[in-house]
Amino acid sequence: MTPVIHDAKEATAGLKWAVQEMEDRYRKLAHEGVRDSRKYNEKMAEQGNYASKMPYIVIVIDELADLMMVSPQEVEDSVCRIAQKARACGIHLACHSASVCRRYYRFN
């Protein structure tokens, strides 16, 4: 869908796109009366509408802490929305951060 994004501002825009894509996919799922992308794709295949099938999307974020430093609120909102809801509509998120961002981790 897109080549690797190295710029933090472009990555933020990419996350916003993913949230919008998630919302669009949820509308399609609701319209077809199914609960997840697998059932949606099965239904599209039964109807012979192969062009409407939903491909899986994998979002990989390396150095989440660095991205959070550029635009913390926008990134946090997008990552939280994607992490909470996107799996059902075929969008998966993998995050990595080597550095500790104390604002987002709780120590006991």
Side-chain angles (χ1 to χ4, degrees):
M1 299 199 125
T2 182
V4 175
I5 299 172
H6 297 281
D7 182 65
K9 291 186 188 229
E10 288 180 31
T12 302
L15 289 171
K16 286 182 182 180
W17 172 86
V19 170
Q20 184 60 48
E21 177 69 15
M22 177 186 71
E23 296 297 336
D24 292 344
R25 287 177 173 220
Y26 267 107
R27 281 193 223 48
K28 290 178 184 178
L29 296 176
H31 183 263
E32 294 297 329
V34 295
R35 296 184 64 166
D36 60 36
S37 61
R38 186 177 56 82
K39 294 284 188 194
Y40 178 87
N41 287 340
E42 288 173 4
K43 191 169 185 178
M44 293 299 107
E46 289 171 5
Q47 296 173 359
N49 192 359
Y50 297 102
S52 294
K53 289 177 72 173
M54 288 182 192
Y56 289 104
I57 298 172
V58 178
I59 301 166
V60 179
I61 300 174
D62 188 22
E63 290 304 333
L64 178 61
D66 290 347
L67 189 57
M68 295 291 287
M69 290 172 57
V70 174
S71 51
Q73 192 61 48
E74 293 173 337
V75 171
E76 180 180 7
D77 292 346
S78 296
V79 167
C80 286
R81 296 278 313 272
I82 293 167
Q84 291 169 347
K85 294 177 57 178
R87 188 172 56 111
C89 62
I91 301 174
H92 301 276
L93 176 67
C95 295
H96 173 266
S97 186
S99 59
V100 176
C101 182
R102 294 188 186 275
R103 177 176 174 202
Y104 298 101
Y105 293 100
R106 181 178 289 173
F107 298 100
N108 292 330

